[in-house]
Amino acid sequence: MFKKILIANRGEIACRVIAAAQRLGITAVAVYSDADKDAPHVDLANEAVRIGPAPAAESYLDAGRIIGTCKATGADAVHPGYGFLSEQAEFARALSDNGIVFIGPNPSAIEVMGDKIESKKLAQSAGIPTVPGYAAAIKEMPQAERIADEIGYPVIVKAASGGGGRGMRIVESRNDLAANIARAQSEAQSAFGDSRIFLEKFIPNPRHIEIQVLGDKHGNLIHLGERECSIQRRHQKVIEESPSPFLSSETREKLGEQAVSLAQAVRYDSAGTVEFIAAPDGCFYFLEMNTRLQVEHPVTELVTGLDLVEWMIRIATGEPLHFSQTDLSFKGWAIETRILAEDPERGFLPSTGRITLYRPPVSSKQDKITVRIDSGICEGSEIPVYYDPLMAKLITHAPGRKEAIQAQACALDSFAIEGVATNIAFLAAVMAHERFQSGALSTDFIDKEFPHGYAPILPRGRTARLFACVAAAADHVMDKRRCAISGQLAAPAPVRLAKRRAILIAGVRYDVRIEENGDAACVTFDSDGQTHVCLSGWTPGTPVWEGTVNGKQIAMRLRPIRNGFALSHGGAAAEARIHTLHAADLAALMPEKKSTSSAKLLRAPMPALLKSIAVTAGQAVQRGEALCVIEAMKMETVLHAEFDGTIAAINARPGDTLSVDAVIMTFSAGNR
């Protein structure tokens, strides 16, 4: 067994590998950039070494610095996690040349299977169906145009290296091809140091299903079942589960055999994943192989009972697998959601800043339900602009899919993060979505079910009443606290708490009476006389109200605002304003404040690097025309004109680092 492992990564995967190494009695060495000097993985490791400035190219992607740190610390092995150097064959060879073990597959397997073009050729030679396309790097635009015309639009532009959705663009027509190739090449070069791209036919409404494989250095190779990763946004996975609700046992066995056969062709000897696209007609096509650990590996761990990180380490030491394919059993259902620093209400734009509050649900295993948190942040963590937005992963496991979804939904309602925008409410909305619950998944699920972007669901009917009950119960606790602090409850003639309240939620007013019954708050609605019993140990300042309403367990995120609370539960969100009956009558007479428009300014929607500007001062532009390209969290975003007008002034230059809402350019009056 290794004595010391260096983890060449950051965030939640660094924390995950550190925990596995320490559990095996191995000293863990963390590396960090200037942006990560106070990150949790630095504190968790036995040793930590700075490797450079914040940009990944000068730190986590600098193979020379990683190897130098291994020598300086005496690390005898490196685990690369995923992303960064995890699929760089040259890095694996360089480690070997320096007497350091790479915890991953052999370099030749990385070279062939980690290259999407070469792996596609290998799959074709093995008789495995592949997506129609051109299995070679595109060298010039005339060639790209000719190939795309032959394939037929829509086509998809893909980076030859890496993964995670970087360097992937769907192109609907020849007019859009050049711009999308440029964006894909730029993203690929930035993320993987390889700008090669190729073209494939875009298959509409597909499902994304992958097979986990595991091989040792003695020729033993097995598969660990499938994962369904069809809930995606911008070609990046958002929700994963195992098993897939789509596969029959026969199809599962067939895909598993194909994945193992492909891995055997390159003598694969670690954890890896073979990915397939399933067309609506049920045909499966080989997509690519990821020669590394996957972000979504926890769902496989929970259904198989195997620790994939531990087995990667054991295999790297030369230990053989002590079980065969027939020894494996798959139990229950697991679902993972990715907790991302992004704003779903602003087109899922990345969000950066400092975590001012972090309260994840408690990791637990009881009543056949498992809740697991793999996290790379803590309260006070800084979310920088330089890396991807993944903060944590929430995984639930239960006997069946329905129970796993319910456990996931409850855990999401208990998850509170403040300081940056997150996708937690959006994930809860997906869990509650009828189509998701039915298992009718596809990679365009988000585009189809949220065609105009995401906006929190307004609570109606029973949900609105639930919001009103929690708001009333919490306000009652706040009232008691205020009176206790002021000493009014201990006065000779104690102040009596008002029992009547008007609660305004989503434009609807609910008049209620609040009375105590032991530890419970009983909320009675004037409209029909129905009483709801709310029981909770909630105290002011706690970001989640957890308790029961009429005996049913409820978790609801709760944030105090003026005259009430901002509430979120089950994908629904609203502000609850709480008044006395008389104050509510007066509030209804107040005029609404109108917001002023800043439409004549193009502002940075997030902290970002300004990559390029496509217009000049004095130029007339039309609505939808590209204005500039910004980059944040390893993704490029094109900002377009929202109306016809003329560029009055350009306030920034390519290469500038922009703060959120920084003015990039201004417009003079135009047709709007």
Side-chain angles (χ1 to χ4, degrees):
M1 188 57 70
F2 301 119
K3 294 182 179 179
K4 185 178 289 190
I5 290 176
L6 182 144
I7 296 88
N9 218 298
R10 63 179 300 279
E12 61 85 22
I13 188 56
C15 295
R16 167 77 180 88
V17 177
I18 288 168
Q22 291 175 338
R23 191 167 56 249
L24 291 171
I26 302 170
T27 298
V29 180
V31 293
Y32 63 90
S33 70
D34 289 343
D36 284 335
K37 61 184 177 63
D38 297 317
H41 77 277
V42 174
D43 291 333
L44 288 174
N46 302 94
E47 301 175 32
V49 179
R50 176 188 178 274
I51 53 166
E58 301 174 46
S59 51
Y60 298 108
L61 283 170
D62 191 325
R65 294 193 186 201
I66 298 292
I67 293 172
T69 303
C70 287
K71 292 179 177 180
T73 59
D76 46 1
V78 169
H79 195 300
Y82 38 69
F84 294 136
L85 296 170
S86 62
E87 293 182 283
Q88 299 291 326
E90 296 84 357
F91 176 59
R93 289 194 179 99
L95 287 173
S96 179
D97 291 344
N98 284 275
I100 303 165
V101 177
F102 178 74
I103 302 176
N106 63 81
S108 61
I110 297 174
E111 207 157 47
V112 176
M113 301 308 291
D115 187 307
K116 296 175 186 176
I117 295 174
E118 294 304 315
S119 64
K120 186 172 182 176
K121 291 178 180 177
L122 183 62
Q124 289 171 342
S125 66
I128 301 173
T130 62
V131 178
Y134 182 74
I138 300 297
K139 297 181 179 178
E140 56 186 11
M141 273 308 302
Q143 177 195 26
E145 290 174 344
R146 184 180 69 256
I147 292 169
D149 289 343
E150 292 173 356
I151 295 172
Y153 290 94
V155 298
I156 185 166
V157 181
K158 286 188 174 182
S161 299
R166 271 78 186 185
M168 293 178 65
R169 300 271 168 162
I170 298 172
V171 184
E172 299 288 347
S173 69
R174 181 187 264 219
N175 292 338
D176 301 326
L177 186 61
N180 280 285
I181 284 179
R183 296 279 69 74
Q185 288 177 321
S186 178
E187 286 182 358
Q189 180 64 41
S190 176
F192 317 121
D194 182 356
S195 64
R196 291 178 304 140
I197 55 96
F198 65 103
L199 297 177
E200 283 183 346
K201 178 68 178 175
F202 175 68
I203 297 176
N205 308 318
R207 299 178 83 118
H208 185 126
I209 295 174
E210 59 190 31
I211 302 293
Q212 175 74 58
V213 297
L214 188 66
D216 62 23
K217 298 184 182 300
H218 305 276
N220 302 308
L221 212 152
I222 61 174
H223 75 82
L224 306 181
E226 83 279 5
R227 296 185 289 257
E228 171 120 12
C229 310
S230 296
I231 305 299
Q232 301 181 5
R233 192 235 338 115
R234 295 178 189 151
H235 313 297
Q236 292 181 290
K237 301 164 187 173
V238 178
I239 300 172
E240 302 97 352
E241 59 185 296
S242 183
S244 164
F246 183 65
L247 295 194
S248 64
S249 57
E250 294 79 13
T251 304
R252 180 176 297 112
E253 183 177 351
K254 181 180 178 180
L255 292 182
E257 290 173 353
Q258 289 184 350
V260 169
S261 175
L262 197 62
Q264 286 174 332
V266 292
R267 298 182 179 179
Y268 200 83
D269 52 352
S270 187
T273 301
V274 181
E275 303 194 346
F276 295 88
I277 281 289
D281 61 4
C283 292
F284 280 81
Y285 301 95
F286 168 75
L287 187 62
E288 64 187 41
M289 182 174 187
N290 287 308
T291 56
R292 55 172 168 81
L293 189 68
Q294 292 278 86
V295 176
E296 57 272 21
H297 73 274
V299 295
T300 296
E301 293 184 325
L302 289 177
V303 298
T304 63
L306 297 174
D307 186 316
L308 290 181
V309 176
E310 178 180 327
W311 271 107
M312 288 182 74
I313 295 172
R314 291 185 180 279
I315 289 168
T317 68
E319 184 175 328
L321 297 177
H322 58 64
F323 47 85
S324 65
Q325 192 69 59
T326 55
D327 294 326
L328 290 178
S329 60
F330 303 94
K331 297 179 181 179
W333 211 288
I335 294 177
E336 173 183 287
T337 57
R338 301 189 185 193
I339 309 301
L340 304 172
E342 63 182 22
D343 191 344
E345 296 182 54
R346 300 179 70 191
F348 297 95
L349 289 174
S351 178
T352 61
R354 187 173 298 280
I355 303 296
T356 57
L357 183 145
Y358 181 64
R359 296 290 189 278
V362 178
S363 295
S364 62
K365 186 175 183 180
Q366 55 185 1
D367 298 327
K368 299 182 179 180
I369 303 293
T370 297
V371 177
R372 168 176 162 178
I373 306 292
D374 283 13
S375 176
I377 62 170
C378 62
E379 209 160 278
S381 289
E382 189 77 24
I383 305 301
V385 72
Y386 305 98
Y387 316 117
D388 69 47
L390 180 63
M391 296 185 290
K393 300 179 303 196
L394 173 61
I395 313 98
T396 54
H397 179 258
R401 187 170 189 268
K402 182 179 179 181
E403 297 93 333
I405 292 174
Q406 290 175 338
Q408 183 73 217
C410 183
L412 286 167
D413 285 336
S414 302
F415 211 140
I417 299 178
E418 294 179 9
V420 299
T422 77
N423 65 335
I424 292 175
F426 170 72
L427 295 170
V430 174
M431 289 298 122
H433 199 287
E434 182 178 351
R435 182 180 159 193
F436 178 81
Q437 292 183 351
S438 71
L441 313 180
S442 64
T443 58
D444 60 357
F445 176 94
I446 293 176
D447 291 337
K448 284 193 171 181
E449 301 305 324
F450 301 90
H452 305 296
Y454 170 74
I457 303 166
L458 288 176
R460 302 293 185 192
R462 292 181 179 178
T463 303
R465 284 206 165 205
L466 180 64
F467 274 51
C469 286
V470 171
D475 185 65
H476 184 66
V477 172
M478 294 282 281
D479 261 0
K480 291 177 63 177
R481 181 173 182 265
R482 283 190 289 264
C483 290
I485 291 173
S486 65
Q488 295 176 22
L489 293 180
V495 174
R496 297 177 61 185
L497 296 177
K499 295 183 178 181
R500 302 293 305 281
R501 284 287 186 271
I503 303 174
L504 279 69
I505 299 176
V508 179
R509 174 173 165 174
Y510 301 90
D511 290 354
V512 301
R513 176 182 294 274
I514 308 169
E515 296 180 313
E516 287 188 354
N517 183 2
D519 294 330
C522 299
V523 181
T524 303
F525 288 79
D526 287 1
S527 58
D528 55 15
Q530 288 191 7
T531 298
H532 302 264
V533 180
C534 305
L535 184 60
S536 172
W538 180 81
T539 56
T542 306
V544 178
W545 190 95
E546 292 183 285
T548 60
V549 177
N550 295 336
K552 182 179 180 181
Q553 194 69 36
I554 295 294
M556 187 176 295
R557 288 190 300 281
L558 176 151
R559 177 173 56 83
I561 57 175
R562 186 174 181 180
N563 295 326
F565 304 96
L567 305 170
S568 179
H569 168 80
E575 292 183 348
R577 303 287 180 175
I578 307 169
H579 304 284
T580 63
L581 300 186
H582 181 59
D585 292 338
L586 296 177
L589 303 176
M590 297 294 291
E592 291 187 15
K593 183 178 180 181
K594 296 182 179 180
S595 61
T596 58
S597 173
S598 60
K600 291 185 179 180
L601 304 176
L602 176 67
R603 296 181 181 273
M606 56 191 161
L609 174 70
L610 182 58
K611 295 279 288 186
S612 63
I613 296 176
V615 295
T616 58
Q619 179 179 335
V621 295
Q622 295 181 330
R623 180 176 181 177
E625 188 171 341
L627 301 176
C628 64
V629 178
I630 60 175
E631 181 187 73
M633 293 184 170
K634 297 162 66 175
M635 293 292 289
E636 292 188 359
T637 301
V638 180
L639 301 184
H640 299 86
E642 296 184 359
F643 50 82
D644 296 348
T646 302
I647 306 298
I650 295 177
N651 303 69
R653 294 179 298 178
D656 286 355
T657 299
L658 306 171
S659 60
V660 66
D661 287 332
V663 177
I664 302 172
M665 60 186 72
T666 60
F667 301 86
S668 59
N671 296 325
R672 294 173 53 190

